[in-house]
PDB file of all heavy atoms in Angstrom:
ATOM      1  N   GLN A   1       0.824  -1.212   0.000  1.00 80.00           N
ATOM      2  CA  GLN A   1       0.000   0.000   0.000  1.00 80.00           C
ATOM      3  C   GLN A   1       0.854   1.257   0.000  1.00 80.00           C
ATOM      4  O   GLN A   1       0.519   2.253  -0.656  1.00 80.00           O
ATOM      5  CB  GLN A   1      -0.954  -0.023   1.196  1.00 80.00           C
ATOM      6  CG  GLN A   1      -2.036  -1.076   1.068  1.00 80.00           C
ATOM      7  CD  GLN A   1      -3.101  -0.982   2.145  1.00 80.00           C
ATOM      8  OE1 GLN A   1      -3.171   0.000   2.877  1.00 80.00           O
ATOM      9  NE2 GLN A   1      -3.930  -1.999   2.260  1.00 80.00           N
ATOM     10  N   VAL A   2       1.957   1.233   0.736  1.00 84.00           N
ATOM     11  CA  VAL A   2       2.872   2.385   0.746  1.00 84.00           C
ATOM     12  C   VAL A   2       3.476   2.576  -0.636  1.00 84.00           C
ATOM     13  O   VAL A   2       3.535   3.701  -1.167  1.00 84.00           O
ATOM     14  CB  VAL A   2       3.986   2.191   1.800  1.00 84.00           C
ATOM     15  CG1 VAL A   2       5.070   3.258   1.638  1.00 84.00           C
ATOM     16  CG2 VAL A   2       3.401   2.248   3.215  1.00 84.00           C
ATOM     17  N   TRP A   3       3.922   1.481  -1.263  1.00 84.00           N
ATOM     18  CA  TRP A   3       4.546   1.560  -2.587  1.00 84.00           C
ATOM     19  C   TRP A   3       3.550   1.966  -3.663  1.00 84.00           C
ATOM     20  O   TRP A   3       3.899   2.708  -4.585  1.00 84.00           O
ATOM     21  CB  TRP A   3       5.195   0.220  -2.949  1.00 84.00           C
ATOM     22  CG  TRP A   3       6.435  -0.066  -2.166  1.00 84.00           C
ATOM     23  CD1 TRP A   3       7.181   0.830  -1.458  1.00 84.00           C
ATOM     24  CD2 TRP A   3       7.075  -1.334  -2.013  1.00 84.00           C
ATOM     25  NE1 TRP A   3       8.247   0.202  -0.856  1.00 84.00           N
ATOM     26  CE2 TRP A   3       8.217  -1.130  -1.178  1.00 84.00           C
ATOM     27  CE3 TRP A   3       6.821  -2.626  -2.466  1.00 84.00           C
ATOM     28  CZ2 TRP A   3       9.069  -2.161  -0.819  1.00 84.00           C
ATOM     29  CZ3 TRP A   3       7.675  -3.653  -2.111  1.00 84.00           C
ATOM     30  CH2 TRP A   3       8.786  -3.422  -1.301  1.00 84.00           C
ATOM     31  N   VAL A   4       2.310   1.472  -3.566  1.00 80.00           N
ATOM     32  CA  VAL A   4       1.294   1.836  -4.557  1.00 80.00           C
ATOM     33  C   VAL A   4       1.056   3.338  -4.543  1.00 80.00           C
ATOM     34  O   VAL A   4       1.000   3.989  -5.591  1.00 80.00           O
ATOM     35  CB  VAL A   4      -0.028   1.071  -4.297  1.00 80.00           C
ATOM     36  CG1 VAL A   4      -1.190   1.761  -5.001  1.00 80.00           C
ATOM     37  CG2 VAL A   4       0.068  -0.352  -4.811  1.00 80.00           C
ATOM     38  N   GLY A   5       0.910   3.889  -3.336  1.00 76.00           N
ATOM     39  CA  GLY A   5       0.703   5.328  -3.223  1.00 76.00           C
ATOM     40  C   GLY A   5       1.854   6.111  -3.835  1.00 76.00           C
ATOM     41  O   GLY A   5       1.650   7.086  -4.570  1.00 76.00           O
ATOM     42  N   ALA A   6       3.086   5.671  -3.554  1.00 80.00           N
ATOM     43  CA  ALA A   6       4.269   6.351  -4.085  1.00 80.00           C
ATOM     44  C   ALA A   6       4.353   6.211  -5.606  1.00 80.00           C
ATOM     45  O   ALA A   6       4.667   7.171  -6.318  1.00 80.00           O
ATOM     46  CB  ALA A   6       5.523   5.787  -3.431  1.00 80.00           C
ATOM     47  N   LYS A   7       4.066   5.003  -6.115  1.00 81.00           N
ATOM     48  CA  LYS A   7       4.161   4.750  -7.556  1.00 81.00           C
ATOM     49  C   LYS A   7       3.082   5.502  -8.334  1.00 81.00           C
ATOM     50  O   LYS A   7       3.343   6.003  -9.440  1.00 81.00           O
ATOM     51  CB  LYS A   7       4.048   3.247  -7.832  1.00 81.00           C
ATOM     52  CG  LYS A   7       5.343   2.480  -7.638  1.00 81.00           C
ATOM     53  CD  LYS A   7       6.389   2.864  -8.667  1.00 81.00           C
ATOM     54  CE  LYS A   7       7.674   2.101  -8.506  1.00 81.00           C
ATOM     55  NZ  LYS A   7       8.724   2.545  -9.454  1.00 81.00           N
ATOM     56  N   GLN A   8       1.872   5.556  -7.793  1.00 78.00           N
ATOM     57  CA  GLN A   8       0.802   6.280  -8.475  1.00 78.00           C
ATOM     58  C   GLN A   8       1.179   7.755  -8.622  1.00 78.00           C
ATOM     59  O   GLN A   8       0.927   8.367  -9.664  1.00 78.00           O
ATOM     60  CB  GLN A   8      -0.511   6.140  -7.711  1.00 78.00           C
ATOM     61  CG  GLN A   8      -1.212   4.804  -7.950  1.00 78.00           C
ATOM     62  CD  GLN A   8      -2.587   4.771  -7.294  1.00 78.00           C
ATOM     63  OE1 GLN A   8      -2.769   4.243  -6.221  1.00 78.00           O
ATOM     64  NE2 GLN A   8      -3.552   5.343  -7.966  1.00 78.00           N
ATOM     65  N   HIS A   9       1.772   8.308  -7.579  1.00 80.00           N
ATOM     66  CA  HIS A   9       2.192   9.704  -7.625  1.00 80.00           C
ATOM     67  C   HIS A   9       3.368   9.889  -8.585  1.00 80.00           C
ATOM     68  O   HIS A   9       3.394  10.834  -9.382  1.00 80.00           O
ATOM     69  CB  HIS A   9       2.586  10.170  -6.217  1.00 80.00           C
ATOM     70  CG  HIS A   9       3.025  11.601  -6.160  1.00 80.00           C
ATOM     71  ND1 HIS A   9       2.144  12.662  -6.282  1.00 80.00           N
ATOM     72  CD2 HIS A   9       4.264  12.154  -6.010  1.00 80.00           C
ATOM     73  CE1 HIS A   9       2.814  13.801  -6.216  1.00 80.00           C
ATOM     74  NE2 HIS A   9       4.100  13.520  -6.048  1.00 80.00           N
ATOM     75  N   GLU A  10       4.327   8.958  -8.523  1.00 84.00           N
ATOM     76  CA  GLU A  10       5.522   9.047  -9.362  1.00 84.00           C
ATOM     77  C   GLU A  10       5.204   8.886 -10.840  1.00 84.00           C
ATOM     78  O   GLU A  10       5.704   9.629 -11.690  1.00 84.00           O
ATOM     79  CB  GLU A  10       6.525   7.974  -8.927  1.00 84.00           C
ATOM     80  CG  GLU A  10       7.779   7.874  -9.773  1.00 84.00           C
ATOM     81  CD  GLU A  10       8.575   6.606  -9.509  1.00 84.00           C
ATOM     82  OE1 GLU A  10       8.465   6.050  -8.393  1.00 84.00           O
ATOM     83  OE2 GLU A  10       9.302   6.170 -10.417  1.00 84.00           O
ATOM     84  N   LEU A  11       4.360   7.891 -11.169  1.00 84.00           N
ATOM     85  CA  LEU A  11       4.074   7.575 -12.566  1.00 84.00           C
ATOM     86  C   LEU A  11       2.840   8.284 -13.104  1.00 84.00           C
ATOM     87  O   LEU A  11       2.522   8.174 -14.291  1.00 84.00           O
ATOM     88  CB  LEU A  11       3.895   6.057 -12.725  1.00 84.00           C
ATOM     89  CG  LEU A  11       5.073   5.188 -12.276  1.00 84.00           C
ATOM     90  CD1 LEU A  11       4.699   3.709 -12.331  1.00 84.00           C
ATOM     91  CD2 LEU A  11       6.299   5.452 -13.145  1.00 84.00           C
ATOM     92  N   GLN A  12       2.103   8.980 -12.213  1.00 86.00           N
ATOM     93  CA  GLN A  12       0.879   9.686 -12.605  1.00 86.00           C
ATOM     94  C   GLN A  12      -0.138   8.745 -13.257  1.00 86.00           C
ATOM     95  O   GLN A  12      -0.605   8.970 -14.383  1.00 86.00           O
ATOM     96  CB  GLN A  12       1.225  10.844 -13.558  1.00 86.00           C
ATOM     97  CG  GLN A  12       2.027  11.968 -12.911  1.00 86.00           C
ATOM     98  CD  GLN A  12       1.285  12.651 -11.778  1.00 86.00           C
ATOM     99  OE1 GLN A  12       0.223  13.233 -11.986  1.00 86.00           O
ATOM    100  NE2 GLN A  12       1.819  12.547 -10.560  1.00 86.00           N
ATOM    101  N   VAL A  13      -0.435   7.657 -12.535  1.00 85.00           N
ATOM    102  CA  VAL A  13      -1.425   6.682 -13.013  1.00 85.00           C
ATOM    103  C   VAL A  13      -2.446   6.430 -11.911  1.00 85.00           C
ATOM    104  O   VAL A  13      -2.172   6.670 -10.733  1.00 85.00           O
ATOM    105  CB  VAL A  13      -0.763   5.337 -13.412  1.00 85.00           C
ATOM    106  CG1 VAL A  13       0.106   5.502 -14.638  1.00 85.00           C
ATOM    107  CG2 VAL A  13       0.049   4.754 -12.256  1.00 85.00           C
ATOM    108  N   ASN A  14      -3.626   5.932 -12.299  1.00 79.00           N
ATOM    109  CA  ASN A  14      -4.610   5.550 -11.284  1.00 79.00           C
ATOM    110  C   ASN A  14      -4.469   4.064 -10.967  1.00 79.00           C
ATOM    111  O   ASN A  14      -3.654   3.363 -11.570  1.00 79.00           O
ATOM    112  CB  ASN A  14      -6.044   5.901 -11.735  1.00 79.00           C
ATOM    113  CG  ASN A  14      -6.443   5.177 -13.020  1.00 79.00           C
ATOM    114  OD1 ASN A  14      -6.122   4.006 -13.228  1.00 79.00           O
ATOM    115  ND2 ASN A  14      -7.154   5.880 -13.893  1.00 79.00           N
ATOM    116  N   SER A  15      -5.286   3.580 -10.025  1.00 76.00           N
ATOM    117  CA  SER A  15      -5.135   2.206  -9.557  1.00 76.00           C
ATOM    118  C   SER A  15      -5.378   1.174 -10.648  1.00 76.00           C
ATOM    119  O   SER A  15      -4.694   0.148 -10.714  1.00 76.00           O
ATOM    120  CB  SER A  15      -6.086   1.944  -8.378  1.00 76.00           C
ATOM    121  OG  SER A  15      -7.428   2.221  -8.749  1.00 76.00           O
ATOM    122  N   MET A  16      -6.346   1.434 -11.540  1.00 81.00           N
ATOM    123  CA  MET A  16      -6.640   0.460 -12.590  1.00 81.00           C
ATOM    124  C   MET A  16      -5.537   0.409 -13.639  1.00 81.00           C
ATOM    125  O   MET A  16      -5.210  -0.653 -14.160  1.00 81.00           O
ATOM    126  CB  MET A  16      -7.993   0.772 -13.245  1.00 81.00           C
ATOM    127  CG  MET A  16      -9.178   0.445 -12.368  1.00 81.00           C
ATOM    128  SD  MET A  16     -10.756   0.563 -13.235  1.00 81.00           S
ATOM    129  CE  MET A  16     -10.802  -0.995 -14.081  1.00 81.00           C
ATOM    130  N   GLN A  17      -4.966   1.560 -13.966  1.00 85.00           N
ATOM    131  CA  GLN A  17      -3.853   1.583 -14.921  1.00 85.00           C
ATOM    132  C   GLN A  17      -2.648   0.826 -14.372  1.00 85.00           C
ATOM    133  O   GLN A  17      -1.939   0.149 -15.109  1.00 85.00           O
ATOM    134  CB  GLN A  17      -3.468   3.035 -15.220  1.00 85.00           C
ATOM    135  CG  GLN A  17      -4.490   3.789 -16.047  1.00 85.00           C
ATOM    136  CD  GLN A  17      -4.174   5.269 -16.155  1.00 85.00           C
ATOM    137  OE1 GLN A  17      -3.671   5.882 -15.215  1.00 85.00           O
ATOM    138  NE2 GLN A  17      -4.477   5.859 -17.305  1.00 85.00           N
ATOM    139  N   LEU A  18      -2.438   0.936 -13.063  1.00 85.00           N
ATOM    140  CA  LEU A  18      -1.329   0.231 -12.424  1.00 85.00           C
ATOM    141  C   LEU A  18      -1.616  -1.267 -12.358  1.00 85.00           C
ATOM    142  O   LEU A  18      -0.753  -2.101 -12.664  1.00 85.00           O
ATOM    143  CB  LEU A  18      -1.124   0.797 -11.018  1.00 85.00           C
ATOM    144  CG  LEU A  18       0.274   0.721 -10.404  1.00 85.00           C
ATOM    145  CD1 LEU A  18       1.340   1.241 -11.358  1.00 85.00           C
ATOM    146  CD2 LEU A  18       0.302   1.489  -9.086  1.00 85.00           C
ATOM    147  N   LEU A  19      -2.845  -1.613 -11.979  1.00 85.00           N
ATOM    148  CA  LEU A  19      -3.225  -3.023 -11.864  1.00 85.00           C
ATOM    149  C   LEU A  19      -3.204  -3.724 -13.220  1.00 85.00           C
ATOM    150  O   LEU A  19      -2.947  -4.927 -13.306  1.00 85.00           O
ATOM    151  CB  LEU A  19      -4.625  -3.128 -11.237  1.00 85.00           C
ATOM    152  CG  LEU A  19      -5.094  -4.513 -10.773  1.00 85.00           C
ATOM    153  CD1 LEU A  19      -4.142  -5.096  -9.735  1.00 85.00           C
ATOM    154  CD2 LEU A  19      -6.501  -4.432 -10.205  1.00 85.00           C
ATOM    155  N   TYR A  20      -3.448  -2.959 -14.289  1.00 88.00           N
ATOM    156  CA  TYR A  20      -3.439  -3.508 -15.644  1.00 88.00           C
ATOM    157  C   TYR A  20      -2.074  -4.113 -15.979  1.00 88.00           C
ATOM    158  O   TYR A  20      -1.980  -5.089 -16.733  1.00 88.00           O
ATOM    159  CB  TYR A  20      -3.800  -2.400 -16.636  1.00 88.00           C
ATOM    160  CG  TYR A  20      -3.908  -2.839 -18.078  1.00 88.00           C
ATOM    161  CD1 TYR A  20      -4.956  -3.660 -18.486  1.00 88.00           C
ATOM    162  CD2 TYR A  20      -2.986  -2.421 -19.028  1.00 88.00           C
ATOM    163  CE1 TYR A  20      -5.071  -4.060 -19.810  1.00 88.00           C
ATOM    164  CE2 TYR A  20      -3.096  -2.814 -20.352  1.00 88.00           C
ATOM    165  CZ  TYR A  20      -4.138  -3.630 -20.739  1.00 88.00           C
ATOM    166  OH  TYR A  20      -4.253  -4.034 -22.041  1.00 88.00           O
ATOM    167  N   TYR A  21      -1.010  -3.539 -15.429  1.00 87.00           N
ATOM    168  CA  TYR A  21       0.339  -4.078 -15.636  1.00 87.00           C
ATOM    169  C   TYR A  21       0.724  -5.074 -14.543  1.00 87.00           C
ATOM    170  O   TYR A  21       1.437  -6.045 -14.796  1.00 87.00           O
ATOM    171  CB  TYR A  21       1.361  -2.936 -15.676  1.00 87.00           C
ATOM    172  CG  TYR A  21       1.367  -2.200 -16.990  1.00 87.00           C
ATOM    173  CD1 TYR A  21       0.527  -1.124 -17.210  1.00 87.00           C
ATOM    174  CD2 TYR A  21       2.199  -2.604 -18.036  1.00 87.00           C
ATOM    175  CE1 TYR A  21       0.513  -0.454 -18.427  1.00 87.00           C
ATOM    176  CE2 TYR A  21       2.203  -1.942 -19.254  1.00 87.00           C
ATOM    177  CZ  TYR A  21       1.354  -0.866 -19.442  1.00 87.00           C
ATOM    178  OH  TYR A  21       1.342  -0.217 -20.653  1.00 87.00           O
ATOM    179  N   GLN A  22       0.276  -4.810 -13.306  1.00 87.00           N
ATOM    180  CA  GLN A  22       0.619  -5.693 -12.192  1.00 87.00           C
ATOM    181  C   GLN A  22       0.066  -7.099 -12.361  1.00 87.00           C
ATOM    182  O   GLN A  22       0.769  -8.085 -12.121  1.00 87.00           O
ATOM    183  CB  GLN A  22       0.044  -5.144 -10.881  1.00 87.00           C
ATOM    184  CG  GLN A  22       0.822  -4.034 -10.244  1.00 87.00           C
ATOM    185  CD  GLN A  22       0.080  -3.518  -9.035  1.00 87.00           C
ATOM    186  OE1 GLN A  22      -0.158  -2.336  -8.908  1.00 87.00           O
ATOM    187  NE2 GLN A  22      -0.297  -4.404  -8.162  1.00 87.00           N
ATOM    188  N   ALA A  23      -1.217  -7.186 -12.728  1.00 88.00           N
ATOM    189  CA  ALA A  23      -1.910  -8.474 -12.757  1.00 88.00           C
ATOM    190  C   ALA A  23      -1.210  -9.506 -13.646  1.00 88.00           C
ATOM    191  O   ALA A  23      -0.938 -10.627 -13.196  1.00 88.00           O
ATOM    192  CB  ALA A  23      -3.369  -8.286 -13.169  1.00 88.00           C
ATOM    193  N   PRO A  24      -0.888  -9.181 -14.917  1.00 91.00           N
ATOM    194  CA  PRO A  24      -0.217 -10.194 -15.745  1.00 91.00           C
ATOM    195  C   PRO A  24       1.190 -10.540 -15.250  1.00 91.00           C
ATOM    196  O   PRO A  24       1.612 -11.696 -15.332  1.00 91.00           O
ATOM    197  CB  PRO A  24      -0.169  -9.555 -17.143  1.00 91.00           C
ATOM    198  CG  PRO A  24      -0.364  -8.103 -16.926  1.00 91.00           C
ATOM    199  CD  PRO A  24      -1.215  -7.979 -15.710  1.00 91.00           C
ATOM    200  N   MET A  25       1.913  -9.537 -14.718  1.00 91.00           N
ATOM    201  CA  MET A  25       3.253  -9.818 -14.202  1.00 91.00           C
ATOM    202  C   MET A  25       3.184 -10.727 -12.984  1.00 91.00           C
ATOM    203  O   MET A  25       3.948 -11.691 -12.857  1.00 91.00           O
ATOM    204  CB  MET A  25       3.968  -8.509 -13.831  1.00 91.00           C
ATOM    205  CG  MET A  25       4.402  -7.693 -15.029  1.00 91.00           C
ATOM    206  SD  MET A  25       5.281  -6.178 -14.574  1.00 91.00           S
ATOM    207  CE  MET A  25       6.810  -6.869 -13.943  1.00 91.00           C
ATOM    208  N   SER A  26       2.245 -10.447 -12.079  1.00 90.00           N
ATOM    209  CA  SER A  26       2.066 -11.273 -10.887  1.00 90.00           C
ATOM    210  C   SER A  26       1.614 -12.681 -11.272  1.00 90.00           C
ATOM    211  O   SER A  26       2.040 -13.672 -10.670  1.00 90.00           O
ATOM    212  CB  SER A  26       1.039 -10.638  -9.945  1.00 90.00           C
ATOM    213  OG  SER A  26       1.478  -9.373  -9.497  1.00 90.00           O
ATOM    214  N   CYS A  27       0.758 -12.764 -12.285  1.00 91.00           N
ATOM    215  CA  CYS A  27       0.279 -14.055 -12.781  1.00 91.00           C
ATOM    216  C   CYS A  27       1.446 -14.888 -13.308  1.00 91.00           C
ATOM    217  O   CYS A  27       1.569 -16.079 -13.005  1.00 91.00           O
ATOM    218  CB  CYS A  27      -0.752 -13.811 -13.886  1.00 91.00           C
ATOM    219  SG  CYS A  27      -1.650 -15.291 -14.399  1.00 91.00           S
ATOM    220  N   GLY A  28       2.329 -14.268 -14.091  1.00 91.00           N
ATOM    221  CA  GLY A  28       3.503 -14.963 -14.631  1.00 91.00           C
ATOM    222  C   GLY A  28       4.447 -15.430 -13.532  1.00 91.00           C
ATOM    223  O   GLY A  28       4.993 -16.537 -13.594  1.00 91.00           O
ATOM    224  N   MET A  29       4.644 -14.589 -12.514  1.00 91.00           N
ATOM    225  CA  MET A  29       5.514 -14.965 -11.388  1.00 91.00           C
ATOM    226  C   MET A  29       4.970 -16.177 -10.652  1.00 91.00           C
ATOM    227  O   MET A  29       5.702 -17.132 -10.350  1.00 91.00           O
ATOM    228  CB  MET A  29       5.640 -13.791 -10.411  1.00 91.00           C
ATOM    229  CG  MET A  29       6.435 -12.620 -10.945  1.00 91.00           C
ATOM    230  SD  MET A  29       6.357 -11.213  -9.807  1.00 91.00           S
ATOM    231  CE  MET A  29       7.172  -9.959 -10.780  1.00 91.00           C
ATOM    232  N   LEU A  30       3.670 -16.141 -10.349  1.00 91.00           N
ATOM    233  CA  LEU A  30       3.066 -17.267  -9.630  1.00 91.00           C
ATOM    234  C   LEU A  30       3.083 -18.541 -10.467  1.00 91.00           C
ATOM    235  O   LEU A  30       3.261 -19.639  -9.941  1.00 91.00           O
ATOM    236  CB  LEU A  30       1.620 -16.935  -9.234  1.00 91.00           C
ATOM    237  CG  LEU A  30       1.405 -16.232  -7.900  1.00 91.00           C
ATOM    238  CD1 LEU A  30      -0.082 -16.168  -7.586  1.00 91.00           C
ATOM    239  CD2 LEU A  30       2.127 -16.941  -6.764  1.00 91.00           C
ATOM    240  N   LEU A  31       2.903 -18.390 -11.770  1.00 90.00           N
ATOM    241  CA  LEU A  31       2.908 -19.549 -12.662  1.00 90.00           C
ATOM    242  C   LEU A  31       4.245 -20.279 -12.596  1.00 90.00           C
ATOM    243  O   LEU A  31       4.306 -21.509 -12.699  1.00 90.00           O
ATOM    244  CB  LEU A  31       2.624 -19.085 -14.096  1.00 90.00           C
ATOM    245  CG  LEU A  31       2.215 -20.159 -15.116  1.00 90.00           C
ATOM    246  CD1 LEU A  31       0.953 -20.870 -14.672  1.00 90.00           C
ATOM    247  CD2 LEU A  31       1.994 -19.511 -16.483  1.00 90.00           C
ATOM    248  N   CYS A  32       5.327 -19.522 -12.404  1.00 90.00           N
ATOM    249  CA  CYS A  32       6.662 -20.124 -12.298  1.00 90.00           C
ATOM    250  C   CYS A  32       6.899 -20.745 -10.921  1.00 90.00           C
ATOM    251  O   CYS A  32       7.666 -21.708 -10.785  1.00 90.00           O
ATOM    252  CB  CYS A  32       7.740 -19.068 -12.560  1.00 90.00           C
ATOM    253  SG  CYS A  32       7.709 -18.390 -14.233  1.00 90.00           S
TER     254      CYS A  32
END
């Protein structure tokens, strides 16, 4: 939660735009 807040401010994105990239990356990590 701390990192999300910092990243949203740093990258100027909202939660859905961030999750759009997080979800597939997290999915690939777990798959391995």
Side-chain angles (χ1 to χ4, degrees):
Q1 291 188 12
V2 170
W3 288 343
V4 161
K7 278 293 181 184
Q8 281 186 261
H9 180 73
E10 176 193 334
L11 303 173
Q12 293 298 298
V13 292
N14 61 39
S15 56
M16 287 189 81
Q17 289 172 324
L18 207 49
L19 192 59
Y20 183 69
Y21 282 88
Q22 280 175 232
M25 288 182 70
S26 298
C27 190
M29 290 173 187
L30 272 188
L31 196 59
C32 296

